[in-house]
Amino acid sequence: MSNILTEIEKLVTPIVEELNLELVDLEFVKEGRSWFLRIYVDTHEGGIDIEHCALVSERLSEVLDGKDPIEQNYFLEVSSPGAERPLKKESDYERAVGKFIYVKTYEPVNGLKEFEGILTAYSDQGLEMEVRIKTRKIKVQLAKEKVALARLAINFSA
């Protein structure tokens, strides 16, 4: 599966870069009986529209038809990563400093595996968050290798 994603990333990256967009994420998943190739793109300033997605989809479809790296039938979807954009690359984390995020860890840290709060710092070693636990705000340090999932989050308590 990762070979397919690596091949697709090689095909979509030049298209996205030519359009001055950013490849945020991609996935190839089976849902029910159908396979989906999902490409998530954004502008570098954050704010993608349907025309951007359609243009990437058209150009990528042409390339995929020629190269045909996926054996089974699938649906191609090109869209925005949405308000809860995943944080995967170094640049994603760096842009998210000062923003409200959600993090899930592989194993408990201070007895918890899920954290929501402000990302206050990011480095090669990991990230620091300010989280609210009941009525207290505390700083939490999370090593990068312990992070299973990280994404921007909507703060409903603000």
Side-chain angles (χ1 to χ4, degrees):
M1 186 69 67
S2 65
N3 290 342
I4 290 174
L5 291 177
T6 301
E7 183 66 25
I8 298 301
E9 185 172 3
K10 287 178 188 174
L11 297 174
V12 75
T13 298
I15 295 167
V16 170
E17 288 175 352
E18 179 184 323
L19 296 170
N20 199 30
L21 299 174
E22 176 187 3
L23 177 62
V24 175
D25 200 7
L26 51 103
E27 60 184 11
F28 185 59
V29 294
K30 187 173 186 181
E31 294 178 1
R33 294 182 178 179
S34 300
W35 282 91
F36 294 86
L37 174 59
R38 293 193 176 111
I39 311 293
Y40 299 97
V41 295
D42 205 351
T43 61
H44 294 285
E45 297 79 38
I48 193 93
D49 61 27
I50 193 80
E51 286 81 20
H52 290 115
C53 295
L55 197 52
V56 172
S57 180
E58 288 171 19
R59 291 190 182 179
L60 182 58
S61 289
E62 290 174 13
V63 172
L64 290 172
D65 288 346
K67 302 275 184 188
D68 204 19
I70 300 174
E71 291 179 17
Q72 59 265 58
N73 292 331
Y74 61 92
F75 295 97
L76 173 63
E77 296 178 355
V78 178
S79 68
S80 160
E84 294 189 336
R85 174 188 172 133
L87 305 176
K88 295 195 169 200
K89 299 178 268 190
E90 301 282 324
S91 59
D92 295 337
Y93 283 99
E94 290 164 1
R95 277 195 309 258
V97 172
K99 295 183 180 171
F100 194 78
I101 68 168
Y102 167 84
V103 175
K104 186 173 186 175
T105 57
Y106 289 111
E107 56 191 48
V109 175
N110 300 333
L112 299 171
K113 288 181 73 174
E114 296 184 55
F115 302 88
E116 277 192 337
I118 303 294
L119 178 62
T120 55
Y122 178 76
S123 70
D124 291 338
Q125 289 73 39
L127 50 122
E128 179 183 274
M129 296 175 65
E130 183 179 272
V131 299
R132 181 179 295 271
I133 298 184
K134 296 186 182 179
T135 59
R136 304 176 326 170
K137 286 185 181 178
I138 64 166
K139 295 269 186 191
V140 176
Q141 304 279 335
L142 300 171
K144 282 171 54 173
E145 63 271 4
K146 294 198 186 241
V147 175
L149 173 121
R151 61 174 167 73
L152 294 177
I154 299 170
N155 187 356
F156 291 104
S157 62

